[in-house]
């Protein structure tokens, strides 16, 4: 049973690692960013409330995200654990999540904090391309698709996430430093955190995570 949280700045490779972790430990991968983007695409009430914040790289209000996560965690596939990516993102969310877990008599296994120096994050994010159909991610220089603009896996069209444009990314870094980085100390105090060097290759990062989580 693994109940995991992935922490790290935008572009740390959380999404890439999350897919591998979820497959290896057979737990659902829950990305609040992905859920919010899906709601925007489908034009739901939640999507309408979230869009303006997301387009500017700002955080969506805590209560909306907390409700979304608490609902998602009631799904049956979470009985065997879960992997959260992008939540919690503020101290308020973390405190509220701790209360939720305590109520359900649950405890996090560990918070995985992926550390990457900021100077290598910006080129990583700006070159990122995502498949509109299946969500697979590529990078224009370090992981290009076989044919430009086309997903290797499903043939879908690749695009840049609206919030991956340079100006928005710089704001997302600021927001991360101000609101999310304090969570490192929060979980350090609770003795629930493990640090991983996210500047290493994708395989090396995954190996380090498996070392921490065990077989
Ligand atoms: P991500 O895909 O995790 O980078 O998230 C993309 C955007 O979704 C963020 O810049 C926020 O606008 C919003 N978002 C995702 N998760 C949260 C959260 N836990 N709290 C507030 N906003 C969030």
């Amino acid at each position: 049973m693994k109940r995991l949280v992935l922490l790290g700045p935008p572009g740390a490779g959380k999404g890439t690692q999350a897919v591998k972790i979820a497959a290896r430990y057979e737990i659902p991968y829950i990305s609040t960013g992905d859920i919010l983007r899906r709601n925007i695409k489908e034009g739901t009430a939640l999507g309408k409330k979230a869009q303006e914040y997301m387009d500017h790289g700002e955080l969506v209000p805590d209560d909306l995200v907390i409700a979304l996560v608490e609902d998602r965690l009631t799904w049956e596939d979470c009985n065997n654990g879960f992997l959260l990516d992008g939540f919690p993102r503020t101290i308020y969310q973390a405190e509220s999540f701790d209360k939720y877990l305590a109520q359900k008599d649950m405890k996090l296994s560990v918070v995985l904090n992926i550390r990457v120096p900021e100077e290598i994050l910006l080129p990583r994010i700006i070159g990122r391309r995502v498949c509109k159909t299946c969500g697979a991610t590529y990078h224009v220089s370090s992981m290009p698709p076989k044919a430009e603009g086309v997903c290797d896996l499903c043939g879908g069209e690749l695009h840049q996430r609206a919030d991956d444009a340079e100006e928005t990314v710089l704001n997302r870094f600021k927001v991360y430093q101000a609101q999310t980085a304090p969570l490192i100390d929060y979980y350090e105090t609770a003795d629930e955190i493990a640090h991983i060097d996210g500047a290493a290759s994708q395989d090396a990062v995954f190996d380090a995570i498996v070392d921490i989580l065990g077989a």
Side-chain angles (χ1 to χ4, degrees):
M1 162 79 73
K2 303 266 185 243
R3 298 192 185 102
L4 308 173
V5 167
L6 268 180
L7 206 59
K14 299 190 295 295
T16 307
Q17 296 300 329
V19 172
K20 295 183 178 195
I21 298 167
R24 166 98 180 214
Y25 296 98
E26 297 182 344
I27 48 177
Y29 164 33
I30 302 170
S31 153
T32 43
D34 281 351
I35 296 173
L36 291 167
R37 278 186 288 277
R38 200 158 55 236
N39 275 273
I40 290 178
K41 205 167 150 192
E42 290 168 2
T44 66
L46 173 62
K48 291 200 174 93
K49 285 184 196 151
Q51 177 150 28
E52 185 74 16
Y53 299 99
M54 291 178 72
D55 283 352
H56 294 95
E58 298 291 334
L59 294 186
V60 172
D62 285 331
D63 292 340
L64 287 180
V65 185
I66 290 167
L68 174 163
V69 170
E70 291 189 356
D71 173 68
R72 180 62 185 84
L73 291 178
T74 63
W75 293 19
E76 210 180 326
D77 61 352
C78 294
N79 289 346
N80 191 35
F82 52 78
L83 170 61
L84 281 168
D85 166 13
F87 179 93
R89 206 73 156 231
T90 62
I91 295 281
Y92 181 84
Q93 290 179 19
E95 287 174 346
S96 153
F97 188 44
D98 275 350
K99 281 186 207 139
Y100 173 86
L101 290 172
Q103 258 171 27
K104 304 267 169 193
D105 222 4
M106 293 197 284
K107 228 182 144 332
L108 287 179
S109 308
V110 68
V111 174
L112 298 166
N113 178 37
I114 306 186
R115 294 199 271 213
V116 184
E118 201 163 298
E119 58 276 14
I120 65 174
L121 292 174
L122 191 62
R124 266 197 196 179
I125 303 183
I126 290 175
R128 180 156 72 182
R129 298 292 179 272
V130 183
C131 175
K132 277 188 175 175
T133 310
C134 76
T137 53
Y138 298 85
H139 189 279
V140 289
S141 51
S142 65
M143 218 210 308
K146 292 196 185 89
E148 197 185 323
V150 181
C151 179
D152 291 348
L153 301 178
C154 76
E157 188 191 337
L158 303 185
H159 75 140
Q160 185 181 46
R161 260 170 55 177
D163 61 348
D164 278 352
E166 183 163 350
E167 205 175 300
T168 311
V169 172
L170 292 174
N171 193 41
R172 287 166 63 204
F173 284 152
K174 273 195 211 137
V175 169
Y176 170 79
Q177 283 306 337
Q179 307 205 55
T180 307
L183 291 180
I184 298 171
D185 278 348
Y186 178 89
Y187 285 117
E188 201 87 66
T189 310
D191 215 9
E192 284 179 324
I193 198 163
H195 303 284
I196 295 132
D197 171 18
S201 71
Q202 283 182 16
D203 286 346
V205 173
F206 185 61
D207 288 346
I209 291 173
V210 172
D211 277 348
I212 291 163
L213 297 180

